[in-house]
């Protein structure tokens, strides 16, 4: 394990983050796991930077990590990547300081590599193009290619959304036909249940890692004994 990864895990302790630790960050629904998947069954994370409700970077990153871990846990067995669906309603440049953008890019690229299938940026304002050009150097080329700009009532955008999602299940804010919306109380109940599953998830992962380390150590010892 890389030294940077160890330091990061010691700082944010993703295996120990619980809903109660970050529920304030979730009040406005700025990031949450959608109640639908894409057409390939991938978990969808909805992001709404226009409803940012806090200004503490550590808390924001901790919540992002919590959401990422939850999305990973809820991936089907045949998928390893998720989808981001970003709604720019109400967003302006002052809502995401450059430091926040850099740290977010750092966390996503260095600690969740290859977890992104694609990102839909829905109806971004023109000024976002300037912001994206500033952030772009922090993104690796593979990630840059996964970013899709989508605009309502635009033929190519409509085709892309239809190819990626069942629009009967998609929220109306993204041009879908579902009336569902984020409900913090209901979402909190679901996350508390997921917290219990997450504890088992991490325990299983820890046991698997321990078994691999034991096997490696045993193999090394056997090799040394026959040398």
């Amino acid at each position: 394990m890389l030294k940077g990864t160890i330091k990061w895990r010691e700082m944010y302790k993703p295996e120990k983050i619980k809903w109660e630790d970050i529920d304030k960050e979730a009040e406005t629904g700025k990031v949450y796991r959608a109640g639908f998947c894409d057409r390939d069954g991938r978990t969808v994370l909805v992001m709404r930077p226009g409803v940012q409700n806090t200004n503490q970077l550590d808390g924001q990153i901790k919540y992002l990590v919590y959401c990422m871990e939850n999305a990973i846990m809820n991936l089907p067995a045949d998928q390893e990547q998720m989808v981001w669906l970003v709604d720019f309603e109400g967003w302006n440049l002052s809502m995401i300081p450059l430091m926040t953008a850099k740290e977010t890019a750092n966390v996503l690229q260095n600690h969740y590599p290859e977890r992104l299938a694609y990102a839909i940026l829905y109806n971004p304002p023109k000024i976002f193009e300037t912001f994206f050009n500033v952030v772009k150097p922090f993104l690796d080329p593979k990630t840059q290619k996964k970013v899709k700009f989508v605009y309502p009532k635009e033929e190519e955008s409509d085709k892309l959304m239809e190819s990626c999602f069942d629009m009967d299940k998609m929220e109306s804010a993204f041009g879908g036909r579902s009336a569902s919306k984020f409900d913090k109380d209901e979402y909190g109940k679901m996350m508390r249940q997921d917290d219990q599953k997450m504890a088992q998830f991490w325990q299983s992962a820890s046991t698997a890692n321990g078994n691999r380390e034991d096997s490696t150590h045993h193999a090394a010892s056997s090799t040394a004994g026959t040398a």
Side-chain angles (χ1 to χ4, degrees), residues 3 80 145 189:
K3 184 177 180 181
E80 295 184 348
K145 292 179 181 178
K189 291 178 183 177

Side-chain angles (χ1 to χ4, degrees), residues 6-42:
I6 295 174
K7 183 178 179 180
W8 174 81
R9 288 205 169 274
E10 289 176 347
M11 180 183 300
Y12 291 111
K13 296 181 173 63
E15 72 278 8
K16 294 185 178 180
I17 305 175
K18 300 291 187 292
W19 175 253
E20 285 72 19
D21 301 327
I22 46 76
D23 63 340
K24 181 181 177 181
E25 294 285 342
E27 285 180 351
T28 59
K30 62 187 177 187
V31 185
Y32 61 92
R33 177 164 57 84
F36 55 87
C37 298
D38 78 343
R39 290 193 182 277
D40 291 314
R42 301 183 184 99

Side-chain angles (χ1 to χ4, degrees), residues 123-137:
N123 201 24
K126 291 298 181 182
I127 195 171
F128 179 78
E129 294 180 12
T130 301
F131 176 78
F132 188 71
N133 287 332
V134 173
V135 174
K136 206 171 181 180

Side-chain angles (χ1 to χ4, degrees), residues 72-206:
I72 291 168
M73 184 185 71
N74 282 284
L75 284 169
D78 62 340
Q79 293 289 352
E80 295 184 348
Q81 295 180 312
M82 67 187 75
V83 175
W84 301 340
L85 189 54
V86 188
D87 178 11
F88 282 88
E89 178 69 28
W91 179 87
N92 63 63
L93 276 174
S94 66
M95 290 180 167
I96 304 181
L98 184 58
M99 180 60 70
T100 301
K102 289 175 65 176
E103 183 60 17
T104 298
N106 170 57
V107 168
L108 296 176
Q109 290 190 148
N110 295 329
H111 306 293
Y112 296 100
E114 298 303 319
R115 283 298 188 179
L116 177 65
Y118 56 90
I120 300 288
L121 307 187
Y122 191 82
N123 201 24
K126 291 298 181 182
I127 195 171
F128 179 78
E129 294 180 12
T130 301
F131 176 78
F132 188 71
N133 287 332
V134 173
V135 174
K136 206 171 181 180
F138 305 130
L139 305 176
D140 64 51
K142 286 185 179 180
T143 301
Q144 292 178 27
K145 292 179 181 178
K146 295 177 180 181
V147 176
K148 314 294 182 183
F149 286 75
V150 171
Y151 300 91
K153 299 180 180 178
E154 184 179 90
E155 185 176 358
E156 288 302 313
S157 292
D158 289 345
K159 288 181 180 178
L160 177 62
M161 292 294 283
E162 288 281 357
S163 69
C164 293
F165 306 101
D166 179 346
M167 298 306 285
D168 287 334
K169 298 178 180 178
M170 175 63 69
E171 296 176 19
S172 59
F174 296 102
R177 294 180 283 274
S178 173
S180 62
K181 293 183 178 180
F182 176 78
D183 183 311
K184 189 201 172 186
D185 292 334
E186 290 301 315
Y187 191 71
K189 291 178 183 177
M190 184 170 66
M191 290 300 100
R192 290 186 184 92
Q193 294 174 353
D194 275 6
D195 282 350
Q196 296 178 11
K197 291 188 287 185
M198 183 64 77
Q200 298 172 354
F201 179 80
W202 277 103
Q203 185 175 12
S204 298
S206 178

